[in-house]
Amino acid sequence: MTIKEFQTDLLQGIPQELPPYPNDDNAASISHAPRRRLDNLTTADKKLALKNALRYFDEKHHATLAKEFAEELEQYGRIYMKRFRPNYEMKARPINEYPHQSQQAAAIMLMIQNNLSYAVAQHPHELITYGGNGSVFQNWAQYRLTMQYLATMTDEQTLVMYSGHPLGLFPSHKEAPRVVITNGMMIPQFSEDHHWNKFNALGVTQYGQMTAGSFMYIGPQGIVHGTTITVLNASRMLSGKNASLKGKLFISSGLGGMSGAQAKASVIAGGVGIIAEVNEKQVDKMITQGWVKEKHKDLAALVARTQKAIDNKEAVSLAYHGNIVALWEYLVENNIKVDIGSDQTSLHNPWQGGYYPVQIPFAEAEKMISEDPKKFKTLVEETLCRHVNAIHKMAERGMYFFDYGNAFLKQAKDAGANICKEDGSFIYPSYVQDIMGPMCFDYGFGPFRWVCCSNNAADLKKTDEIAAKVLKEIAKTAPEEIQQQLNDNIIWIEQALDNELVVGSQARILYADAEGRIKIAKAFNDAIREGYISAPIVLGRDHHDVSGTDSPYRETSNIYDGSQFTADMAVQNFVGDSFRGATWVSLHNGGGVGWGNVINGGFGLVIDGSQDAENRLTQMLHWDVNNGIARRSWARNKEAVFTAKRAMAQNPNLKITLPNIADDDLVNEVIS
Ligand SMILES: NC(=O)c1ccc[n+]([C@@H]2O[C@H](COP(=O)([O-])OP(=O)(O)OC[C@H]3O[C@@H](n4cnc5c(N)ncnc54)[C@H](O)[C@@H]3O)[C@@H](O)[C@H]2O)c1
C-alpha cells in the first residue's frame, strides 16, 4: 500500500461500505487473546452489547453486522469488529506520513500505531498490547474513528476518550492537552474482576493496563531498564554495594510484554537468568527478537547448561519452555542453588490466562478458561500453593525472593497458600518495598522515556549521546545519596545502542529524577531547534513511577502511613500534568495489579524545539515528579524528605509541607 493509500484509508474513519472480512486472522504467527467468559452476561446483556456495538455504523449495515457481531460475541467473548481491522501495515511511521492539521496529534497517531504493531502488541488483532488485557481500544471502530479525529483535529481542539471510545472533539486552546484519556474508571463498588468482564463485554469500559491504553508502551525495552536496576540491586543486597549478577542465578517466569525484559536484564546485569514461559509462540517471538538467547524444554539439560554458565561466569539468558512450577519443583528436588527468585506471570489476571496451571498442557488450559472456568480456577489455586511451597524451600536454602508487582503474593494468599507472617503481612517483600521505592522512587528516579518522531535510528543515537552528557554533568555535583543511581543510568545509556533494545518505534528509556528529566528534555528541545535532531520528540514515562500510580501492592507498597489505600496522588498527577502542558494525559483503573487495585496515570509531551515546548516541559516534568516526592515525604519516607528539601532549595516557588516525626516510645506509652 502506498503512503497516499494509507492516508486515504486513515482519513475515511469508519468506511461507508463494508470492507471485506480479513482472511489473515488465523495466521499461525498471530497470538490471540483467549476467549473471554460470557457466563455472567444475561441474554439482555448480550442484546445490549450488540446494540452498543452497532452504534458505530450506518443503519444500512446493521442487518449484516448484527449477525456477525453476535457471532463474535459468542466466539471470542467480545465484539472486536474484526472486519474493520485495516489492511495497511500497523507500525510507527515517520511523523510526516500521518495526515494531520496538528503536529501534536500526528505524534499521537504514531504512538497508537506503535502500540498496535505486530512487533510490539501481544494480541494485535484484539487490540491488546501487553499484560493479557491491556487494550489500546476495545474494537476496530474505535481505532478508526480515533485516527480520523486525530488526523483532522487542530490545536484548538481536544479529543476526549472514554476507555477507547472517542467521545468527540471539543473546542479548547493550544495550551490544553490534545487528548484526555480515561480507562476503566468505575464507580468503586463496580470495580471487581467480574465487573470488568461484564462491562468490557458490553463495550463500555476497558482495561488500559498502564501504558497500553495511554499509547505510551514502547515494547519490553521500557521495562528492561527497571528490571536491570532491580536485579542489580537485589544482587547488591546479597553481596555488597559494588556487586553485579556475575556468577549468580536468577529465576523467574514470563516472556511476555514486560516479563520478557527479565531475560535481557539478567544478561545486562552480568548473570545467568532462567525464565520459564508456557506459551511456545511467546518463547519463539522473544528468541527471534533477541530478548532471550536459548530455548530449553528438557529440565536436566537446562540444569546442566546453567551449571556450565555459572562456572564460567557467563552472562546468558535461558528460556525454559514449560510451567514455572514444574521448574521450581525440579530445582528443589535436585538441590540446585538459586540466588535470586521472582515471578512475572500475569497474576493480576489469574482466571483469564494470566497464570497457567501446571497440571495440564497449555493448549488444554487455554480451552478450559472459557469451557470450565470453575475447574480452571481450582487448578490455578492448587498450582499457586505448590508454587509457594517450592519457593519456601528455596528461600530456606538462602534464595532471596521478591514479588514483582504482578500480585503474586496477594493471589497466593487468596488461593490459600501459606504466605503470611503472624501479623498478616507477607513473608516476602515486593520489589518496590525493598528496592525500587527506597532506592529510586523516593529520590524521584523513575522511567523517563522518549520516542523520536522521525523514526530514524540516527536521531535516537544522538539523543542517547545528549542524555549521557547531561547525566555526567549532573553527576559532577550531585549528592552522594544519588550517585549510584546516576552512575547506573550513565552506564545504561552508554550501552543502550549495543544492547539492541529497540522494538517498534525509535524509543529510549532511562531512570532520571526531576532535575535529570528536565535537563535532558531541554537539551533535546535545543537540538531539535538547531536541526541537529530532525523531528519532534515525544516525552513520556511508564505509569510505574514516583507520582503517577497509587497501588498499595506495588508502586506505593513502601508507603506506610495508611495512605497507600488512597488514590489522591495519581488523580492529582493527571490533573496537574494536564494544565502544565502535557500533550495528552491519561488516568486508568486496574493496570498491573488488577482491576480495582490501582489507579495510575501518565502523559505524553511533544517537544518541537519551540519556546512553548520548553515552557511546558519545564513546568510539567517538575510537577510530574515532585507531586510524588511531596506525598512520599509526607508519608515520612526519609529519602523523599531529603529529596523534597533539595527540590525546595533548587526552586523558591516550591513549598512542600514536611512531616514532623513522632517518637515511637511516646506513641507506645500513650496507646498500648
Ligand atoms: N517488568 C516489570 O517491571 C513489572 C513491573 C510491575 C509489574 N509487572 C507485572 O508482571 C506481570 C507480567 O507482565 P507482562 O506484560 O509480561 O504480561 P504478559 O501476560 O505479557 O506475560 C506473562 C507471561 O507469563 C506466561 N505464563 C503464565 N503463566 C505461566 C506459568 N505458570 N509458567 C510459565 N509462564 C507462564 C504467559 O504465557 C505470558 O507470556 C504483570 O502482572 C505485570 O503487571 C511487571
Side-chain angles (χ1 to χ4, degrees):
M1 190 183 266
T2 63
I3 293 179
K4 188 87 201 122
E5 285 165 340
F6 159 70
Q7 293 177 337
T8 307
D9 193 324
L10 195 146
L11 279 166
Q12 72 172 329
I14 296 173
Q16 286 306 304
E17 296 309 320
L18 294 183
Y21 204 94
N23 58 10
D24 59 347
D25 201 41
N26 292 326
S29 57
I30 303 294
S31 174
H32 289 285
R35 181 182 180 271
R36 307 300 187 181
R37 290 170 47 193
L38 287 177
D39 52 325
N40 64 345
L41 259 69
T42 62
T43 304
D45 289 335
K46 289 181 185 175
K47 287 182 183 170
L48 189 55
L50 191 58
K51 277 168 64 175
N52 287 349
L54 291 170
R55 282 185 285 194
Y56 290 99
F57 304 95
D58 194 311
E59 286 158 27
K60 71 182 181 193
H61 297 309
H62 282 192
T64 311
L65 293 179
K67 194 165 168 291
E68 193 171 302
F69 290 170
E71 279 167 15
E72 278 199 16
L73 187 60
E74 287 307 322
Q75 191 178 347
Y76 309 118
R78 295 290 183 272
I79 302 173
Y80 297 116
M81 308 180 183
K82 291 206 170 194
R83 178 192 283 276
F84 294 92
R85 179 165 54 82
N87 63 10
Y88 50 73
E89 195 183 345
M90 194 62 74
K91 62 172 186 184
R93 295 152 199 271
I95 188 167
N96 285 331
E97 289 188 12
Y98 293 96
H100 65 268
Q101 315 259 352
S102 155
Q103 197 177 46
Q104 296 183 355
I108 298 172
M109 287 189 269
L110 178 162
M111 298 295 285
I112 289 176
Q113 287 210 310
N114 190 54
N115 274 259
L116 290 172
S117 84
Y118 285 7
V120 171
Q122 184 183 19
H123 307 308
H125 291 187
E126 289 80 35
L127 301 109
I128 288 171
T129 301
Y130 72 99
N133 292 336
S135 304
V136 189
F137 299 95
Q138 297 177 63
N139 58 56
W140 287 102
Q142 293 178 344
Y143 165 82
R144 282 185 173 269
L145 205 47
T146 300
M147 294 300 270
Q148 186 187 37
Y149 279 136
L150 288 167
T152 53
M153 75 184 291
T154 70
D155 286 344
E156 302 290 327
Q157 292 171 300
T158 291
L159 174 63
V160 175
M161 303 207 47
Y162 286 11
S163 281
H165 169 67
L167 194 70
L169 288 173
F170 293 79
S172 65
H173 55 89
K174 86 177 173 51
E175 296 304 328
R178 296 281 69 78
V179 183
V180 175
I181 300 165
T182 48
N183 278 307
M185 301 310 294
M186 301 298 288
I187 301 300
Q189 201 189 350
F190 296 90
S191 201
E192 288 175 20
D193 221 32
H194 62 99
H195 293 121
W196 167 77
N197 201 47
K198 173 173 170 174
F199 292 105
N200 187 227
L202 290 183
V204 295
T205 192
Q206 76 174 1
Y207 195 90
Q209 262 285 0
M210 294 196 134
T211 47
S214 58
F215 322 144
M216 193 42 79
Y217 188 71
I218 55 168
Q221 178 193 182
I223 220 79
V224 170
H225 183 45
T227 313
T228 307
I229 288 187
T230 304
V231 292
L232 251 185
N233 282 309
S235 210
R236 286 170 184 156
M237 279 170 56
L238 295 180
S239 328
K241 212 174 162 203
N242 296 317
S244 72
L245 201 64
K246 211 172 189 174
K248 293 198 181 78
L249 177 58
F250 168 59
I251 294 200
S252 186
S253 59
L255 287 171
M258 285 198 277
S259 48
Q262 297 174 106
K264 191 122 191 165
S266 313
V267 175
I268 297 174
V272 182
I274 304 181
I275 313 297
E277 168 59 61
V278 277
N279 182 346
E280 192 159 18
K281 272 187 192 153
Q282 229 15 71
V283 178
D284 292 343
K285 184 173 169 182
M286 289 291 150
I287 296 248
T288 312
Q289 293 183 351
W291 289 90
V292 61
K293 288 199 173 146
E294 296 173 23
K295 171 169 149 185
H296 293 263
K297 287 188 187 188
D298 180 74
L299 282 164
L302 171 67
V303 166
R305 172 70 182 98
T306 305
Q307 205 48 59
K308 193 173 144 214
I310 289 174
D311 293 346
N312 294 339
K313 296 210 164 29
E314 201 181 331
V316 69
S317 55
L318 311 170
Y320 167 58
H321 171 220
N323 197 294
I324 180 67
V325 176
L327 175 63
W328 280 126
E329 289 180 346
Y330 184 88
L331 297 174
V332 168
E333 236 168 69
N334 289 278
N335 246 317
I336 308 299
K337 179 178 180 293
V338 179
D339 300 284
I340 301 169
S342 192
D343 188 81
Q344 263 199 62
T345 52
S346 274
L347 263 167
H348 66 274
N349 174 32
W351 321 126
Q352 302 277 332
Y355 181 84
Y356 283 87
V358 68
Q359 303 88 337
I360 51 173
F362 175 65
E364 195 180 326
E366 274 214 305
K367 274 201 209 143
M368 194 184 278
I369 292 170
S370 56
E371 287 173 5
D372 193 350
K374 255 197 184 146
K375 175 97 188 283
F376 184 81
K377 189 166 181 233
T378 308
L379 293 184
V380 163
E381 286 171 342
E382 276 173 26
T383 304
L384 269 168
C385 291
R386 280 171 60 178
H387 200 152
V388 166
N389 288 341
I391 297 295
H392 284 339
K393 291 203 178 97
M394 297 306 279
E396 278 162 20
R397 296 175 195 166
M399 179 179 81
Y400 171 68
F401 182 84
F402 60 94
D403 178 289
Y404 217 137
N406 59 343
F408 175 81
L409 296 173
K410 182 180 178 294
Q411 293 300 349
K413 180 182 166 197
D414 292 351
N418 170 24
I419 196 79
C420 292
K421 298 182 198 158
E422 265 179 17
D423 66 0
S425 63
F426 291 122
I427 293 175
Y428 302 104
S430 89
Y431 72 119
V432 173
Q433 282 176 300
D434 266 18
I435 300 168
M436 273 303 167
M439 295 182 193
C440 293
F441 295 162
D442 288 350
Y443 285 117
F445 281 78
F448 181 55
R449 60 180 57 170
W450 62 90
V451 176
C452 297
C453 293
S454 60
N455 233 10
N456 188 337
D459 274 342
L460 186 65
K461 185 167 181 284
K462 289 176 188 169
T463 59
D464 287 346
E465 286 158 7
I466 292 171
K469 196 168 156 208
V470 170
L471 290 184
K472 281 181 181 164
E473 201 51 44
I474 293 175
K476 282 184 190 162
T477 54
E480 175 59 27
E481 284 83 346
I482 60 168
Q483 282 292 343
Q484 188 164 63
Q485 289 86 333
L486 286 165
N487 280 339
D488 283 346
N489 282 287
I490 291 166
I491 294 170
W492 162 264
I493 198 72
E494 287 186 335
Q495 293 177 353
L497 195 66
D498 293 341
N499 282 326
E500 296 178 23
L501 297 156
V502 169
V503 174
S505 60
Q506 291 297 322
R508 190 67 79 216
I509 176 167
L510 57 74
Y511 266 50
D513 61 0
E515 182 185 8
R517 298 184 206 203
I518 293 169
K519 286 187 171 164
I520 291 170
K522 271 189 182 167
F524 289 170
N525 200 44
D526 290 345
I528 298 168
R529 185 173 48 246
E530 288 153 11
Y532 180 61
I533 288 174
S534 70
I537 286 176
V538 170
L539 305 177
R541 60 164 168 76
D542 193 357
H543 295 195
H544 175 263
D545 195 7
V546 182
S547 316
T549 296
D550 277 301
S551 176
Y553 303 109
R554 210 166 81 180
E555 284 77 358
T556 42
S557 60
N558 77 321
I559 302 275
Y560 302 104
D561 69 347
S563 73
Q564 63 269 40
F565 299 103
T566 65
D568 297 301
M569 179 176 73
V571 176
Q572 288 281 356
N573 220 65
F574 166 81
V575 174
D577 281 356
S578 78
F579 67 78
R580 286 184 176 84
T583 309
W584 72 101
V585 283
S586 59
L587 189 66
H588 299 196
N589 167 24
V593 285
W595 195 247
N597 287 321
V598 51
I599 300 291
N600 62 86
F603 73 88
L605 172 56
V606 179
I607 54 170
D608 58 4
S610 65
Q611 184 57 45
D612 277 353
E614 179 165 326
N615 298 344
R616 289 185 195 124
L617 75 86
T618 309
Q619 279 205 20
M620 206 222 77
L621 295 176
H622 185 267
W623 158 255
D624 191 63
V625 177
N626 282 305
N627 169 37
I629 292 302
R631 184 268 176 101
R632 287 168 183 276
S633 89
W634 185 239
R636 294 184 284 265
N637 291 10
K638 68 176 190 322
E639 294 84 1
V641 173
F642 166 85
T643 311
K645 287 181 180 164
R646 212 176 144 238
M648 285 193 279
Q650 287 170 334
N651 187 334
N653 276 349
L654 180 68
K655 302 271 179 241
I656 293 174
T657 312
L658 295 175
N660 294 298
I661 310 296
D663 181 54
D664 279 342
D665 290 343
L666 172 71
V667 173
N668 292 336
E669 203 181 295
V670 176
I671 301 180
S672 54

